[in-house]
Amino acid sequence: MASEALSAANSRLGVLAQHLAPLEPGDLLTQQLTSSSYSRGGYDSTFPQATTMAAFPPAVHDLLALEGLLNPEERQLRDKVRSYMESNVAPVIADYWERAEFPYPLVPGFAALGLAGGPIKGYGCPGLSILSNGMAVVEIARVDASMSTFLLVHSHLAMLTIGLLGSEEQKQELLPRMAKFELVGCWALTEPSNGSDASALTTTATKVPGGWMINGYKRWIGNGTWADVTVVWARNNQDGQVNAFIVRKGNPGLRTSKLENKIALRCVQNADMTFSQCFVPDSARLPGVASFADTNKVLAISRIMVAWQPVGLSVGVYDMCCRYVTERKQFNAQLGSFQLVQERLARMAGHIQGMWLSCWRLSKLYEEGRMSHEQASLVKAWVSARGREVMSLGRELLGGNGILAHFLVAKSFSDLEAIYTYEGTYDVNVLVAGRRITGVSAIRAASPAKGTKKGAKQQDGEGERK
């Protein structure tokens, strides 16, 4: 299956080839999968008592038969993505994560899954249901959150912005190639000075003859070091509103540098971006963006997908722990025979069922046209917090192996820390929900003179963007 997917997609590799010299991507991946360090089926000669994530554990997390809430197409997509991630990504991803490198050789097979563009219909995109997209995110994050974030930035931020807010010419030119991963996108909103307070961004777009001159700084931009297409948000000098622009790779006014020393999502290449007299033509402006409020048209879907990520991380850790406690023995007994171990597994399983159901309901509300901004914030915050607890319990169950990346739990533990913060920090998201509950906004401190009136509207920032 891996060789078929790679051969079908290698012809679409395009600009990725520069990252793979001197080996072809198929050759490099094959070499990794068959080398002595990867071919042991999860066996570590220094610790033969338990199996590593290289041989991924079976999925045993669905204790309430929740898959019965999926239709046949959704189950089929879930199974296809699960098979790819277990067979192709699990054996190699821990080493990429350790080196903080993006796994470029995996992209052709990843592209063959047909996920890019997610809910967009036409333009070579799959037009998947929100729930189908969520199932794909769960199965990718179950093995590796970096790969799920790579997809979400490319598909549910960059592509979705163009699909919802771009011109017909922009859609026709970019979306078909981005759907094949011939072009990779990023989404530049967060700034060094404005994370949660994203609506106060300071990057400017000045109107000049024939186009716009962009100046400013962006930070934490996923895929930013190598993206071909950057969707950048900047405040125009005409009416002071925030607009969106497309900046192409190679623009002399754009410089990027990789953020180093991350402990989470280490495969994601986050960038600092500097726009200095960065000229873009008038055709680069997205006509569907009139103000910062238009970001919510994109984030409504993106935040659902981000809420599914802790579900994926949690089911992966749970599956790993269930296998580990049957393999590992102490005091002449399986770990799984001890009461405290069973209590932790039951608590993890309970959280997972609740997290899955919350995200399922949120997805259904969106598909019915009834999801609110506050509902999305509530679910994203709650599943992130519960996911954190699942990671911690898994860390306890694996003992010393719980801090080794190739036993999955430590990697997922670290990765969830980033998800807890991006697409709205936990605190900002619960305050958005709290504003709906009480009618009073507590996001900004009340003015000493006037206070904050009940029901007053405020533009809330929503955390560091990917």
Side-chain angles (χ1 to χ4, degrees):
M1 181 176 180
S3 60
E4 291 174 2
L6 285 169
S7 63
N10 270 341
S11 61
R12 302 201 296 258
L13 191 61
V15 298
L16 292 173
Q18 62 184 295
H19 300 285
L20 305 170
L23 292 172
E24 290 298 315
D27 295 337
L28 181 54
L29 184 56
T30 300
Q31 183 186 75
Q32 290 176 338
L33 288 169
T34 57
S35 69
S36 59
S37 60
Y38 293 104
S39 62
R40 293 191 287 259
Y43 174 76
D44 182 349
S45 61
T46 65
F47 189 81
Q49 290 85 1
T51 309
T52 72
M53 70 169 291
F56 214 76
V60 295
H61 52 266
D62 188 5
L63 271 64
L64 294 183
L66 298 175
E67 75 164 17
L69 297 173
L70 305 176
N71 65 35
E73 291 76 19
E74 291 158 351
R75 286 195 294 271
Q76 182 179 24
L77 179 68
R78 178 203 63 185
D79 293 344
K80 179 174 73 170
V81 178
R82 178 180 293 174
S83 176
Y84 172 78
M85 293 300 296
E86 290 181 351
S87 300
N88 294 274
V89 180
V92 301
I93 198 64
D95 278 6
Y96 280 106
W97 191 90
E98 192 74 33
R99 298 192 303 267
E101 294 177 3
F102 184 80
Y104 298 105
L106 293 173
V107 173
F110 200 65
L113 294 173
L115 302 175
I120 302 172
K121 296 181 179 179
Y123 309 99
C125 299
L128 299 171
S129 70
I130 295 298
L131 193 51
S132 290
N133 282 284
M135 291 303 97
V137 170
V138 168
E139 294 305 323
I140 297 168
R142 176 172 172 258
V143 175
D144 184 62
S146 291
M147 291 294 286
S148 69
T149 298
F150 161 65
L151 176 67
L152 293 188
V153 172
H154 172 73
S155 179
H156 289 82
L157 287 177
M159 289 185 71
L160 193 58
T161 301
I162 296 168
L164 292 177
L165 305 170
S167 68
E168 185 61 26
E169 291 75 18
Q170 290 165 344
K171 296 175 190 177
Q172 293 283 359
E173 178 194 359
L174 296 172
L175 291 180
R177 295 189 67 192
M178 295 177 79
K180 298 176 182 178
F181 286 92
E182 292 175 356
L183 298 175
V184 169
C186 70
W187 205 74
L189 175 63
T190 297
E191 299 180 349
S193 58
N194 295 284
S196 291
D197 192 12
S199 62
L201 64 86
T202 60
T203 297
T204 61
T206 303
K207 190 69 182 76
V208 296
W212 299 81
M213 201 70 77
I214 301 173
N215 287 279
Y217 303 93
K218 300 293 181 180
R219 187 168 174 83
W220 292 110
I221 309 306
N223 306 343
T225 61
W226 61 291
D228 305 283
V229 177
T230 298
V231 176
V232 59
W233 299 81
R235 194 176 305 279
N236 76 57
N237 71 324
Q238 296 183 314
D239 60 9
Q241 293 294 339
V242 172
N243 298 142
F245 303 85
I246 295 170
V247 178
R248 311 299 181 99
K249 186 176 185 178
N251 188 310
L254 171 62
R255 299 195 312 275
T256 67
S257 60
K258 178 183 174 181
L259 267 74
E260 302 287 356
N261 305 314
K262 292 190 303 173
I263 68 162
L265 300 177
R266 288 176 56 80
C267 297
V268 177
Q269 305 299 291
N270 292 91
D272 280 312
M273 308 184 88
T274 300
F275 298 85
S276 179
Q277 295 297 97
C278 180
F279 175 80
V280 295
D282 286 321
S283 60
R285 179 176 173 178
L286 276 69
V289 179
S291 70
F292 182 82
D294 289 311
T295 61
N296 284 328
K297 297 175 182 178
V298 178
L299 295 174
I301 296 178
S302 177
R303 185 162 291 120
I304 299 171
M305 297 302 113
V306 170
W308 279 110
Q309 283 187 293
V311 179
L313 283 159
S314 296
V315 299
V317 166
Y318 177 84
D319 292 341
M320 188 71 179
C321 289
C322 284
R323 183 176 69 185
Y324 185 88
V325 300
T326 63
E327 295 178 333
R328 182 73 164 133
K329 294 182 178 180
Q330 289 289 277
F331 306 105
N332 296 316
Q334 285 186 352
L335 291 183
S337 68
F338 294 108
Q339 291 178 349
L340 289 176
V341 168
Q342 292 185 11
E343 186 278 334
R344 282 163 173 76
L345 288 171
R347 202 178 345 155
M348 294 166 73
H351 285 339
I352 287 167
Q353 313 313 300
M355 293 163 67
W356 196 101
L357 282 168
S358 294
C359 291
W360 174 83
R361 183 58 181 152
L362 190 66
S363 300
K364 287 297 184 182
L365 284 171
Y366 183 88
E367 290 177 347
E368 296 166 5
R370 299 196 292 130
M371 187 196 81
S372 72
H373 181 54
E374 292 82 5
Q375 288 169 330
S377 290
L378 176 65
V379 172
K380 194 273 177 176
W382 187 80
V383 298
S384 298
R386 296 289 71 73
R388 244 183 168 189
E389 185 175 352
V390 172
M391 299 300 106
S392 181
L393 291 168
R395 159 72 188 89
E396 293 173 13
L397 287 173
L398 262 67
N401 290 317
I403 64 169
L404 297 177
H406 66 293
F407 278 98
L408 181 67
V409 175
K411 183 169 77 70
S412 297
F413 183 106
S414 298
D415 288 343
L416 187 54
E417 287 303 294
I419 296 167
Y420 186 77
T421 298
Y422 71 39
E423 287 283 1
T425 66
Y426 173 83
D427 289 342
V428 168
N429 273 316
V430 294
L431 291 178
V432 170
R435 182 177 62 195
R436 171 64 180 83
I437 294 166
T438 65
V440 179
S441 177
I443 292 174
R444 292 190 176 96
S447 166
K450 297 181 180 180
T452 301
K453 294 182 180 180
K454 185 174 182 177
K457 288 280 187 179
Q458 291 184 352
Q459 272 195 315
D460 47 281
E462 290 160 352
E464 310 290 357
R465 305 296 169 187
K466 294 190 279 289

